Amino acid sequence: MPSAYKRILLKLSGEALMGDDKYGINRNIVEHIVIEIAAVTQLGIEVAVVVGGGNIFRGMKSAGDGMDRVTADYMGMLATIMNALALQDAMKRNGLISRVQSALRIEQIVEPYIRNKAIRYLEEGKIVIFAAGTGNPFFTTDTAAALRGMEINADIVLKATKVDGIYSSDPKIDANATRYQHLSFDEAIAKNLQVMDATALTLCRDQKMPINVFSIFKSGALRRVIMGENEGTSVSS
């Protein structure tokens, strides 16, 4: 069965890289994520990734309490660059070619974000990892994922989390919580289900960019989403 998509934007939270650790990067989890991505690229899918930084910044939380919001946000952007480099290194070990592009200019370490160059890399079969969010404080990496997804003409934004979809309530607390198979953007916003932040959701809704929220920890889940199977929760108009 052919894939439902040709080019995807994978939003990978920093917390997903922690596994069960309190903060930092769990190497086994990163290896698992890379294997999941590799399985998708073998289908001929072009893959871009936006990575968060909460796993690293969480380790600095005590030092960051009371910090100026703009300063804290820039520190968070630097954390995403660290995660992007770790992800790129794991990809290299697994035979995948990737490029890191950053919204903040640190040219000794990563390339600056250039839209046309990112698209060319994708067309060449390389994985592009977008770091440093949008490069602006007050905007989350969810918003960066929505923005980059539209800029590179992705077919869908996939949000990889620890939970296998969007639930009516927290499944860790409520045994009766049910998973939604599909939601409209307006439902997700009105019910405040915390799929993504409101700015990202509104941007995707206005540009008709579909979203799927799924668990990156379930083996083969990313591939099943790509193949159009009933995996995670889809959000669309």
Side-chain angles (χ1 to χ4, degrees):
M1 184 174 66
S3 165
Y5 310 103
K6 176 174 174 53
R7 180 178 294 167
I8 65 170
L9 189 293
L10 179 66
K11 168 53 178 35
L12 188 62
S13 69
E15 286 77 6
L17 302 179
M18 296 189 303
D20 293 327
D21 298 342
K22 292 183 178 180
Y23 55 84
I25 299 171
N26 184 304
R27 179 172 177 175
N28 292 333
I29 292 297
V30 173
E31 292 286 333
H32 165 77
I33 291 171
V34 168
I35 290 170
E36 293 291 297
I37 293 173
V40 167
T41 62
Q42 290 169 6
L43 299 173
I45 308 299
E46 297 173 4
V47 181
V49 182
V50 167
V51 64
N55 57 318
I56 292 176
F57 197 63
R58 183 179 294 185
M60 300 183 289
K61 185 179 184 303
S62 59
D65 284 342
M67 183 180 293
D68 172 73
R69 169 64 189 273
V70 173
T71 300
D73 280 359
Y74 278 119
M75 290 174 66
M77 292 179 215
L78 295 175
T80 71
I81 296 172
M82 295 170 67
N83 281 339
L85 291 172
L87 192 61
Q88 182 184 45
D89 181 73
M91 287 181 177
K92 183 178 180 181
R93 291 197 304 272
N94 284 272
L96 298 178
I97 301 174
S98 62
R99 297 289 184 268
V100 177
Q101 290 196 344
S102 169
L104 295 179
R105 301 183 74 91
I106 313 179
E107 295 181 32
Q108 295 92 331
I109 304 172
V110 292
E111 298 180 18
Y113 169 65
I114 300 173
R115 175 180 179 264
N116 288 341
K117 201 170 185 180
I119 292 174
R120 188 173 78 244
Y121 284 149
L122 292 169
E123 292 172 343
E124 292 171 351
K126 299 180 176 71
I127 298 167
V128 181
I129 306 169
F130 296 119
T134 67
N136 302 287
F138 303 107
F139 290 93
T140 68
T141 50
D142 280 349
T143 298
L147 179 63
R148 295 289 182 255
M150 290 161 198
E151 288 178 315
I152 65 170
N153 303 316
D155 298 314
I156 189 170
V157 171
L158 305 178
K159 183 168 182 178
T161 69
K162 293 183 176 181
V163 183
D164 63 342
I166 304 168
Y167 282 77
S168 55
S169 56
D170 189 342
K172 294 180 181 179
I173 300 173
D174 183 3
N176 296 317
T178 56
R179 178 175 67 88
Y180 295 103
Q181 290 189 12
H182 176 77
L183 287 166
S184 70
F185 286 113
D186 289 339
E187 286 175 323
I189 294 170
K191 293 180 180 181
N192 193 28
L193 294 172
Q194 299 181 348
V195 182
M196 285 183 157
D197 68 74
T199 302
L201 276 177
T202 302
L203 188 57
C204 287
R205 180 193 65 186
D206 292 348
Q207 300 300 319
K208 296 180 172 55
M209 171 69 74
I211 300 170
N212 187 288
V213 180
F214 72 104
S215 171
I216 193 65
F217 296 130
K218 289 177 64 177
S219 294
L222 176 58
R223 187 180 189 280
R224 289 192 292 274
V225 173
I226 294 302
M227 300 305 291
E229 299 180 24
N230 179 23
E231 185 71 46
T233 301
S234 62
V235 185
S236 61
S237 300

